[in-house]
Amino acid sequence: MLDANQVRNEILAFLNGLAIPYEYHEHPKAHTIDDCLAMPFITGDITICKNIFLCNRQQTNFFLLLLKPLTPFRTSVVSKALGSSRLSFAPEEALTELLHLTSGSVSPLGLHFDKEHSIMLAAEKAVLDTPRIAFHPCDNSATVIFTQEVFWQKVIPALGISPIFITLGENPTQESV
């Protein structure tokens, strides 16, 4: 298992190797979304996502869910939107084994380590509402910021995944983009 610095360095090397433009900020460890929102470089034009790693009861289907920071997480609504019943938080062991991450450092950039593409990336459609988007580079003592276009059209394809977008609320829906 790689330590947090090794994981962060591998993610940054991945981004730099592809000449992906991003802003990079080091900061004290941010354990919660409130910690992230309090960072001085997180402004109104940036969505810093709440990232939730989920699985079904059998732990055979895994999802990495990106939500707006203040969107409440309701298991039944998300389960319906994703078409998977009985979703719950994935165990810490799965997070470490599949994504080389620990709780508090969950990031879609961790999908770099999912070489089998066994984890579905799902995002609340509202995360697209700002010009820029931010994540930890798999280490919660740093944050990277991308333009939405760069993240969805360069980073995500380089990871070899196709995300799905969901709309939450009374009638949750799912769509591919």
Side-chain angles (χ1 to χ4, degrees):
M1 173 64 192
L2 302 173
D3 71 25
N5 284 332
Q6 291 171 315
V7 171
R8 176 182 55 196
N9 290 341
E10 186 166 332
I11 293 300
L12 295 176
F14 164 73
L15 296 172
N16 293 336
L18 294 170
I20 302 279
Y22 62 90
E23 286 179 39
Y24 176 79
H25 299 272
E26 289 189 3
H27 49 75
K29 286 190 178 283
H31 296 284
T32 66
I33 196 66
D34 289 334
D35 294 342
C36 295
L37 290 170
M39 291 185 266
F41 54 86
I42 298 299
T43 57
D45 70 327
I46 299 170
T47 294
I48 186 151
C49 293
K50 184 181 342 181
N51 305 300
I52 303 172
F53 190 48
L54 303 166
C55 66
N56 62 353
R57 177 183 271 183
Q58 301 81 7
Q59 295 183 21
T60 55
N61 295 322
F62 291 89
F63 300 88
L64 181 55
L65 177 63
L66 312 181
L67 298 174
K68 291 284 279 190
L70 301 178
T71 297
F73 172 71
R74 292 191 175 83
T75 307
S76 61
V77 174
V78 171
S79 293
K80 185 174 180 181
L82 293 174
S84 183
S85 62
R86 300 184 186 236
L87 288 178
S88 62
F89 295 105
E92 182 85 20
E93 304 79 47
L95 183 61
T96 303
E97 180 183 324
L98 297 172
L99 296 174
H100 299 282
L101 299 174
T102 57
S103 182
S105 64
V106 178
S107 170
L109 297 171
L111 294 169
H112 169 72
F113 299 104
D114 179 25
K115 302 301 184 195
E116 303 297 318
H117 304 294
S118 61
I119 300 165
M120 170 61 69
L121 178 63
E124 176 185 20
K125 199 169 186 179
V127 302
L128 302 171
D129 290 349
T130 56
R132 300 187 295 159
I133 193 163
F135 304 99
H136 296 309
C138 302
D139 172 7
N140 64 355
S141 65
T143 297
V144 289
I145 302 171
F146 306 94
T147 65
Q148 292 277 1
E149 181 180 341
V150 164
F151 182 72
W152 297 106
Q153 295 178 17
K154 294 185 191 273
V155 176
I156 292 299
L159 293 170
I161 55 178
S162 297
I164 57 170
F165 290 88
I166 59 174
T167 302
L168 301 175
E170 289 185 30
N171 298 308
T173 59
Q174 178 186 132
E175 64 185 80
S176 297
V177 174

